[in-house]
Amino acid sequence: MILNQDFYFKKTDVVAKSLLGKILNLRLGSVIQKARIVEVEAYLGIQDPACHTYKNKRTNRTQSMYLAGGHSYVYLIYGMYHCLNVVTRDSSHPEAVLIRAVQPLSAALEFNKKKISTNGPGKLCKHFGINKSHDQMQLWKRTSPLFISQDDFQITKAEIVSCSRVGVDYAGEAAQWPLRFYISGNPYVSKIKK
DNA sequence: AGTGAGATGGCCT
DNA sequence: GGCCATCTCACTA
């Protein structure tokens, strides 16, 4: 069952937690690759020093975050990795959820000969071949190259671990905000260096 | 096991 | 010129 656009209009931390256990679908012609979302981070827009749209900073890159909830936001980081985000709320709240790790539900793609894992935001994009062409996709539409659905899989609140976000030490106090969420005990959750 | 450097491009002062 | 919502590899021990 595909998630409708309303799903993405709730508060960003709520959307983030709700995305845990949902299914990321990548369409490649007639084939659809599936993976379960197991780790996410919330980025709270204009009031969040760790967010690209902090203080309403509108750049070429962040245009996607000003779209309505349910669009994708893909950007290049460190010159070589892509990160996949899900935009939340409306255009006056440029907020998003970073997909940090997924559990593959389909066989590896043909081009993925090096068996790249999916336990990190850069790695999962490489695994699926996600790049700038997957920016601004409509995740609530089954016809999109990228969309999100759900199945019978359920998690309880007790299975959700909350902690601080990764790689945002520059953000001062906000670096401590408990906006990283993952499914307790899931082996595909990213390993953090510290 | 733990540390450190390098890759590499877009966006920033 | 410097920093980044990252990751891999090489080096120490």
Side-chain angles (χ1 to χ4, degrees):
Chain A
M1 203 62 199
I2 199 159
L3 300 178
N4 65 23
Q5 196 175 9
D6 288 342
F7 176 91
Y8 305 98
F9 291 153
K10 289 167 285 187
K11 276 187 63 187
T12 302
D13 60 320
V14 174
V15 176
K17 282 182 268 195
S18 304
L19 279 171
L20 292 175
K22 300 298 187 289
I23 299 175
L24 180 68
N25 297 262
L26 180 84
R27 178 184 297 281
L28 291 162
S30 58
V31 181
I32 294 180
Q33 289 279 317
K34 292 178 178 292
R36 197 174 305 286
I37 297 168
V38 301
E39 178 182 350
V40 296
E41 280 177 6
Y43 285 83
L44 306 185
I46 63 179
Q47 51 176 359
D48 180 359
C51 188
H52 292 163
T53 54
Y54 181 46
K55 291 180 177 168
N56 222 16
K57 190 160 49 186
R58 198 173 185 139
T59 65
N60 232 24
R61 180 176 65 162
T62 62
Q63 285 302 323
S64 314
M65 291 190 67
Y66 290 84
L67 296 175
H71 285 86
S72 60
Y73 167 42
V74 178
Y75 69 92
L76 184 67
I77 187 71
Y78 301 117
M80 51 174 56
Y81 294 103
H82 294 276
C83 287
L84 171 65
N85 297 252
V86 175
V87 176
T88 60
R89 307 187 69 182
D90 58 46
S91 58
S92 63
H93 295 91
E95 309 185 8
V97 176
L98 170 69
I99 309 297
R100 283 195 56 86
V102 298
Q103 175 172 4
L105 301 176
S106 308
L109 291 161
E110 185 58 34
F111 72 85
N112 188 8
K113 294 200 165 32
K114 293 197 169 173
K115 300 199 167 138
I116 304 155
S117 190
T118 56
N119 58 337
K123 283 195 277 185
L124 81 87
C125 284
K126 196 163 186 187
H127 173 93
F128 286 113
I130 293 171
N131 54 52
K132 273 303 238 183
S133 76
H134 297 90
D135 190 32
Q136 305 196 358
M137 294 297 107
Q138 300 173 317
L139 300 174
W140 67 94
K141 289 189 178 176
R142 194 169 292 283
T143 50
S144 294
L146 215 50
F147 63 93
I148 298 177
S149 61
Q150 66 181 140
D151 58 6
D152 294 335
F153 186 84
Q154 298 265 359
I155 58 168
T156 63
K157 277 193 176 157
E159 290 176 89
I160 300 178
V161 179
S162 307
C163 59
S164 58
R165 292 173 292 183
V166 178
V168 295
D169 291 344
Y170 62 89
E173 186 189 312
Q176 311 301 322
W177 294 354
L179 294 176
R180 174 174 176 243
F181 308 104
Y182 61 89
I183 300 178
S184 179
N186 188 287
Y188 287 87
V189 170
S190 67
K191 327 248 186 271
I192 21 181
K193 40 179 190 248
K194 204 64 181 119

